[in-house]
Amino acid sequence: MTARKYILEVQPQIPASLIQLEELANNLLYSWDRQVRGLFYRLDPQLWESCGHNPKLFLRRIEQEKLENAAQDAVFVQDYKKVLSSYNSYMQVIDQSHCSPYINCDVDLISYSCAEFGLYESFPIYSGGLGILAGDYCKAISDLSMPFVAVGILYRQGYFHQAIDANGHQIAHYIPSNFEDLPISPAKNSDGEEIEINLQVCKRNIQLKVWIAKIGHIELLLLDSDIPANSSDDQRITYQLYGGNSTNRLLQEIILGIGGVRAKRALGLNPTVWHINEGHAAFQVLERCRELVCDQNIDFYSAMEAVAANTVFTTHTPVAAGHDIFDTALIEQHFADYAEELGITLADFLKLGRSPMREDGFNMTALALRCSRIHNGVSRIHGSMASSMEQYIWPQIPIAENPIRYITNGIHVPTFLADEWVNYFDNQLGGGWRQELLNEKFWEFIDTIPDYAFWSRRQSLKSKMFEAMIERVIRQHRRNGYSESQIRRLTRNLKPQGADVLTIGFARRFATYKRATLIFSDRDRLARLLGNPEQPMIILFAGKAHPNDKPGQELIRQICNVAKEPEFEGKIIFIENYDISVARKLVSGVDVWLNNPEYPLEASGTSGQKAGINGVINLSVLDGWWAEGYNGENGWAITPHGSSYTPEFRDKEEANELMDVLEQEVVPLFYDRDSRGYSPGWIEKSKASMKSLIPRFNSQRMAMDYARDAYAPAINHGIRLSENNFENARQLSLWKKQVRSNWDKVSISRIDTANCKITKGTPLVVEIAIELSGLSPQDIRVDCQFELELQIDEHTQECEPYDCQTLRYVNTMEDGRALYSLSTIPKQGGLQSYRIRCYPYHKNLSHAFELGCMLWVE
């Protein structure tokens, strides 16, 4: 007979003098304030590790005696008070000087919706890059004291824990969270009652509990369906991040979008900007339309104009699989009643999500684009890619001129800058360097750091990284039944005292387009490079493949099996269960950060930014953020090959260039040591990485780009369309309807004789006649676009736009056509060209080309 085991947690009573430890444990400021985390670590280092760096759980399990001893320890109490002083100062000093030129901080409120938030390793509601980006963005917004509220979903099971078995297979383990362990509390109304909101879906009610997580100055609202009021099926909706079948995914997105709006209303929040971070939350635009239809008595399309005016949409992926597309039948089943509330037919509802990616599907990206007016990709290249992928929204507009722009992603420096650098900057500069993250000139001080001090910190970071990684790798191999002699061979190069070995890092999500195994294209050459005893080198891999991504998992298996071959033993190492904690060690500890995606499929990528701010040198394909970050001095670039080349040719050429750079530049420079034992050339490049990337690719810069280029225009446009009880929105909606119904009958032609030569200083005269087909002359704008004809070589000629002139409406001609005229002296001489186009124009458009209508003189 087996005795039943009863679990008992004996919780301590926190001494009054340390009582604010509870407040520190419930504000995610600890995720980027190492001094706060350090207090918990000092109380009990072993418990801190066993609790997964979770302050709230830690305080429930620490021995009473250790707290009592700490309360009597003068040194600890002094440090505790110092941390509290810094914390209280951060929370009480609201410096909005950076954002106030663009946002009225007393009136405006930014809403930010995302399916995942990667804030800290012990708060597992994220899977990868999208979540880490959202988490970093929230932290930067807090640092800037911007008025802001975020909304997401509280998952019982976040992304999986990864184990790698002896054969290199990825094993996914899902570990449910205990909400008592998380830094969250129930949201309450003004009467102190816990808030629950209601959704009606498919003739049933779904109740949602609203939780709040504090992130410095701001709050993250988290929605939870796992409550007793719901059926067992509905309780499972929010159980797992991106979990379940397509029906469950749709329900999650209904909760995030529609439920997110209702949660804010229940808290009395009325945002003036609504930022949708990827398409998962796009249903929020429909809920806001429903509010206006029901409360303001306006039609759906007028409501859509008002809602779209202050909606910002960020798309994150150039990969088709990254866009959620639901079956039409599924949408019909879940939104038939909702369409009635909106006052539109189900057919018109489905048109909002139509796209050529799948004609019989409902595309969430298409919905978000049609119902927002400010749209952006997340790097310069990705902005162009997104403009091309989504051009069906604006079919007649040149791709380069459609409304999608870009704001390049950034990372939260205080989260990912290593302790060694934080402490050095504090000692040399005081704490003021944290207020200089937007000042590029300030960071030139990096050049003044003595080389020996710089090298010492880089080596210390590598030693600490080796120390952390060897523990994980040994634990992994022992679990898989490896002998101690095998383990010694496989980990011999991870000794903390052996930090002089050149270390390459490759860590990210294992999707096939990221080409983790590209470096294996010439195994013999790689073996020679790794096997040079005079210039040793190792490669550390880490990352998870989606549980349904079998090709991605196969890449992991290949790497693990290569790592067991005699010539690669101990030189290629795969580290399991990549998370934020592992990332902090790797991005600060390796020497070179490798990234070789298929161009142009890396939307942005931010792991290289995290590495670069720590003095790690990037070696990457010129894609995503690196195409903007690389300046020739701060790393190495691999020439990308686009779609005009076959995949086989591309992979071969880029693999060869990768190996050439490693063999001829990276390795020689690292080992070009002087009498002091380090490479001055390497340090110069490492310093160039830090000083160029810290001010340009941090999330404060990103937040200010959004404030200036997205939020401020959205606020102003939203105000304009809501004026006079939304009369401007009504008029704009009616005007668009008229234009769309008549545009196919509009025509444009030139009626004067075109001159192919004029003398410098002589006006160019252009006369255009337009068949308006029921539109007025004021509804049409006519432009003349000038371009220089550039001869690149004997076979290649390119056009470079340099000026655009608007034609003047003259009168209505006898045949009923409208006459437009231009008389202008070209600003440039030499060979050039010009083209004439017309498009609809209204003063209340957010973007000149948002209708997607344009005609050219042929």
Side-chain angles (χ1 to χ4, degrees):
M1 182 175 178
T2 303
R4 182 175 179 178
K5 181 189 293 186
Y6 294 90
I7 302 299
L8 178 65
E9 182 178 81
V10 180
Q11 300 176 1
Q13 292 183 343
I14 299 176
S17 59
L18 300 179
I19 196 64
Q20 264 194 283
L21 284 172
E22 290 185 331
E23 183 178 348
L24 295 176
N26 281 282
N27 190 319
L28 280 151
L29 180 66
Y30 67 68
S31 68
W32 71 93
D33 190 326
R34 288 172 174 80
Q35 300 303 316
V36 175
R37 298 203 301 269
L39 289 176
F40 298 105
Y41 176 83
R42 286 171 58 185
L43 286 167
D44 189 335
Q46 186 174 358
L47 179 62
W48 177 251
E49 293 299 328
S50 67
C51 285
H53 306 168
N54 184 329
K56 198 169 176 180
L57 181 61
F58 177 93
L59 285 181
R60 292 214 320 269
R61 294 189 177 172
I62 189 169
E63 289 282 352
Q64 183 74 45
E65 183 181 3
K66 292 185 177 181
L67 286 175
E68 300 290 353
N69 290 340
Q72 300 302 315
D73 183 337
V75 175
F76 181 87
V77 171
Q78 182 180 6
D79 289 344
Y80 168 72
K81 289 180 178 178
K82 182 180 176 182
V83 170
L84 274 187
S85 176
S86 175
Y87 170 80
N88 291 331
S89 176
Y90 180 92
M91 295 302 294
Q92 292 165 12
V93 177
I94 308 297
D95 179 6
Q96 298 175 321
S97 58
H98 286 297
C99 56
S100 58
Y102 310 108
I103 294 169
N104 184 338
C105 296
D106 294 327
V107 174
D108 292 315
L109 177 65
I110 314 302
S111 164
Y112 182 82
S113 300
C114 189
E116 53 175 293
F117 289 85
L119 293 152
Y120 191 60
E121 56 261 29
S122 63
F123 193 18
I125 56 170
Y126 68 97
S127 69
L130 177 68
I132 302 299
L133 186 280
D136 275 13
Y137 190 61
C138 289
K139 296 172 187 179
I141 291 288
S142 173
D143 292 340
L144 293 166
S145 299
M146 199 178 294
F148 187 93
V149 60
V151 64
I153 293 177
L154 185 60
Y155 306 99
R156 287 279 177 185
Q157 286 184 351
Y159 211 43
F160 67 92
H161 288 240
Q162 178 198 56
I164 303 298
D165 71 12
N167 296 312
H169 297 121
Q170 172 180 282
I171 310 299
H173 297 286
Y174 290 94
I175 303 175
S177 294
N178 182 348
F179 289 173
E180 290 183 1
D181 300 343
L182 302 181
I184 56 175
S185 59
K188 296 180 180 179
N189 61 24
S190 57
D191 296 325
E193 299 169 333
E194 293 188 5
I195 291 175
E196 290 188 4
I197 59 174
N198 178 62
L199 300 181
Q200 276 205 326
V201 182
C202 293
K203 308 294 186 184
R204 72 183 191 273
N205 289 328
I206 300 175
Q207 294 289 116
L208 301 173
K209 185 170 182 175
V210 184
W211 299 82
I212 293 179
K214 294 184 181 298
I215 309 170
H217 292 299
I218 70 168
E219 293 183 340
L220 166 62
L221 310 182
L222 294 166
L223 306 176
D224 170 25
S225 72
D226 189 10
I227 58 177
N230 290 325
S231 68
S232 58
D233 286 343
D234 289 343
Q235 287 175 6
R236 285 193 290 269
I237 295 172
T238 61
Y239 194 77
Q240 187 181 95
L241 173 63
Y242 301 140
N245 56 21
S246 58
T247 299
N248 199 74
R249 287 289 301 275
L250 176 62
L251 288 169
Q252 285 189 353
E253 299 193 10
I254 290 171
I255 285 172
L256 180 61
I258 297 175
V261 175
R262 295 184 184 180
K264 295 186 187 85
R265 302 307 190 204
L267 286 164
L269 301 176
N270 295 296
T272 52
V273 175
W274 299 73
H275 187 166
I276 302 171
N277 194 44
E278 198 51 278
H280 310 108
F283 287 132
Q284 73 166 232
V285 294
L286 301 179
E287 174 63 8
R288 293 177 59 213
C289 288
R290 189 197 63 80
E291 289 178 332
L292 292 180
V293 169
C294 295
D295 300 339
Q296 299 295 328
N297 196 30
I298 63 176
D299 68 280
F300 170 76
Y301 293 102
S302 298
M304 192 176 85
E305 293 300 332
V307 165
N310 63 355
T311 299
V312 176
F313 172 57
T314 300
T315 178
H316 282 264
T317 176
V319 181
H323 299 266
D324 280 347
I325 303 177
F326 295 105
D327 288 341
T328 299
L330 199 60
I331 296 294
E332 290 175 342
Q333 177 187 351
H334 287 79
F335 283 94
D337 293 340
Y338 198 84
E340 284 187 28
E341 289 190 67
L342 294 173
I344 59 176
T345 66
L346 195 51
D348 286 339
F349 185 99
L350 294 173
K351 287 178 183 177
L352 296 171
R354 183 177 295 165
S355 78
M357 288 185 188
R358 214 179 92 191
E359 292 289 349
D360 64 339
F362 189 91
N363 187 322
M364 296 298 287
T365 298
L367 172 66
L369 287 169
R370 288 191 174 101
C371 297
S372 61
R373 292 294 173 261
I374 295 178
H375 339 273
N376 69 281
V378 292
S379 70
R380 185 179 63 224
I381 290 174
H382 178 239
S384 298
M385 275 292 295
S387 294
S388 177
M389 286 183 70
E390 321 303 345
Q391 64 176 307
Y392 61 88
I393 302 289
W394 310 278
Q396 294 181 334
I397 307 301
I399 290 172
E401 294 187 84
N402 76 27
I404 296 183
R405 296 295 175 257
Y406 75 93
I407 292 176
T408 302
N409 285 344
I411 52 99
H412 190 244
V413 171
T415 295
F416 289 101
L417 188 66
D419 280 345
E420 279 75 359
W421 292 122
V422 171
N423 295 334
Y424 184 83
F425 293 166
D426 283 344
N427 290 335
Q428 298 296 313
L429 306 166
W433 63 270
R434 293 171 176 82
Q435 281 70 56
E436 300 291 347
L437 292 177
L438 303 175
N439 182 356
E440 290 190 36
K441 188 171 180 59
F442 175 85
W443 292 95
E444 293 176 6
F445 93 86
I446 295 287
D447 286 331
T448 68
I449 301 174
D451 283 0
Y452 70 87
F454 191 95
W455 180 255
S456 174
R457 278 158 182 79
R458 288 291 315 135
Q459 293 298 89
S460 172
L461 285 168
K462 193 192 298 186
S463 292
K464 289 183 177 179
M465 183 265 293
F466 280 171
E467 186 177 4
M469 295 307 109
I470 196 170
E471 288 181 11
R472 300 177 74 96
V473 174
I474 289 174
R475 191 162 58 242
Q476 173 183 335
H477 289 332
R478 282 177 177 163
R479 187 190 67 238
N480 287 330
Y482 286 31
S483 71
E484 291 303 307
S485 61
Q486 280 181 297
I487 293 173
R488 283 194 295 273
R489 286 200 312 274
L490 292 169
T491 60
R492 64 183 182 273
N493 290 313
L494 287 180
K495 298 291 189 291
Q497 61 271 27
D500 212 31
V501 61
L502 174 61
T503 305
I504 312 292
F506 182 101
R508 53 189 43 84
R509 181 167 58 91
F510 267 67
T512 53
Y513 76 88
K514 293 179 182 286
R515 296 189 299 180
T517 57
L518 186 71
I519 199 168
F520 297 156
S521 297
D522 187 338
R523 298 266 288 276
D524 292 339
R525 188 178 182 186
L526 180 62
R528 289 196 301 272
L529 198 58
L530 294 176
N532 184 349
E534 301 300 317
Q535 297 179 331
M537 184 175 87
I538 63 173
I539 307 174
L540 304 182
F541 288 92
K544 299 176 180 178
H546 189 280
N548 296 330
D549 182 3
K550 299 306 179 185
Q553 293 177 46
E554 174 60 19
L555 294 176
I556 293 174
R557 191 192 66 80
Q558 290 176 22
I559 292 168
C560 293
N561 287 338
V562 168
K564 291 189 291 187
E565 295 177 7
E567 62 268 39
F568 296 118
E569 262 192 350
K571 299 163 189 171
I572 293 174
I573 299 166
F574 191 96
I575 298 155
E576 68 182 6
N577 202 34
Y578 185 53
D579 64 6
I580 295 176
S581 177
V582 175
R584 283 199 304 269
K585 296 294 185 184
L586 288 178
V587 299
S588 62
V590 301
D591 297 301
V592 175
W593 197 256
L594 179 63
N595 189 27
N596 36 244
E598 295 176 15
Y599 175 89
L601 300 183
E602 183 81 304
S604 173
T606 57
S607 61
Q609 297 171 358
K610 300 177 182 92
I613 68 168
N614 283 291
V616 176
I617 305 175
N618 277 276
L619 167 55
S620 176
V621 170
L622 285 173
D623 196 9
W625 78 274
W626 187 233
E628 301 162 51
Y630 176 65
N631 64 15
E633 306 295 330
N634 60 353
W636 293 277
I638 300 170
T639 306
H641 293 70
S643 57
S644 59
Y645 299 94
T646 66
E648 294 76 19
F649 178 85
R650 175 202 62 214
D651 290 352
K652 180 181 178 182
E653 286 297 306
E654 293 178 17
N656 284 338
E657 185 174 359
L658 167 60
M659 295 306 296
D660 286 346
V661 170
L662 283 172
E663 190 169 17
Q664 299 166 21
E665 299 183 49
V666 176
V667 174
L669 184 63
F670 184 80
Y671 286 105
D672 184 20
R673 308 294 174 81
D674 60 14
S675 59
R676 292 165 293 185
Y678 54 76
S679 166
W682 188 272
I683 292 174
E684 181 181 9
K685 195 172 282 288
S686 184
K687 287 181 176 179
S689 175
M690 290 184 74
K691 73 177 184 181
S692 64
L693 302 186
I694 288 175
R696 290 188 58 211
F697 294 97
N698 69 74
S699 47
Q700 281 195 25
R701 185 275 309 154
M702 171 187 163
M704 290 310 302
D705 285 354
Y706 275 107
R708 181 185 61 250
D709 299 332
Y711 298 160
I715 289 167
N716 293 331
H717 197 214
I719 291 171
R720 192 161 64 247
L721 291 198
S722 65
E723 288 175 347
N724 302 319
N725 196 29
F726 299 96
E727 183 59 29
N728 286 339
R730 288 183 174 92
Q731 293 301 322
L732 182 60
S733 174
L734 289 172
W735 176 82
K736 284 187 175 183
K737 182 178 180 180
Q738 183 184 18
V739 169
R740 288 188 176 112
S741 63
N742 288 285
W743 189 252
D744 63 344
K745 297 184 284 292
V746 173
S747 62
I748 180 172
S749 57
R750 184 169 184 178
I751 59 174
D752 68 311
T753 301
N755 286 328
C756 60
K757 296 177 183 178
I758 59 173
T759 305
K760 179 68 175 177
T762 302
L764 171 70
V765 176
V766 176
E767 292 186 335
I768 298 297
I770 296 183
E771 173 56 59
L772 295 174
S773 183
L775 302 180
S776 74
Q778 289 71 36
D779 293 333
I780 300 290
R781 176 165 283 180
V782 186
D783 284 348
C784 182
Q785 192 173 58
F786 291 87
E787 300 170 333
L788 292 177
E789 297 286 322
L790 304 177
Q791 193 71 41
I792 305 304
D793 54 45
E794 59 180 326
H795 303 294
T796 309
Q797 195 171 31
E798 291 185 358
C799 295
E800 182 181 285
Y802 78 86
D803 191 24
C804 188
Q805 297 282 335
T806 299
L807 278 68
R808 177 178 59 89
Y809 168 67
V810 179
N811 56 33
T812 300
M813 301 165 59
E814 291 183 0
D815 61 4
R817 291 184 298 170
L819 175 64
Y820 295 80
S821 176
L822 173 68
S823 178
T824 185
I825 297 175
K827 296 179 180 179
Q828 298 276 359
L831 185 64
Q832 56 191 280
S833 61
Y834 60 95
R835 297 184 296 165
I836 301 114
R837 63 189 183 183
C838 71
Y839 51 90
Y841 171 77
H842 192 283
K843 65 179 182 179
N844 284 328
L845 290 174
S846 175
H847 189 282
F849 307 141
E850 71 181 61
L851 265 78
C853 300
M854 182 175 288
L855 299 175
W856 298 82
V857 173
E858 296 180 352

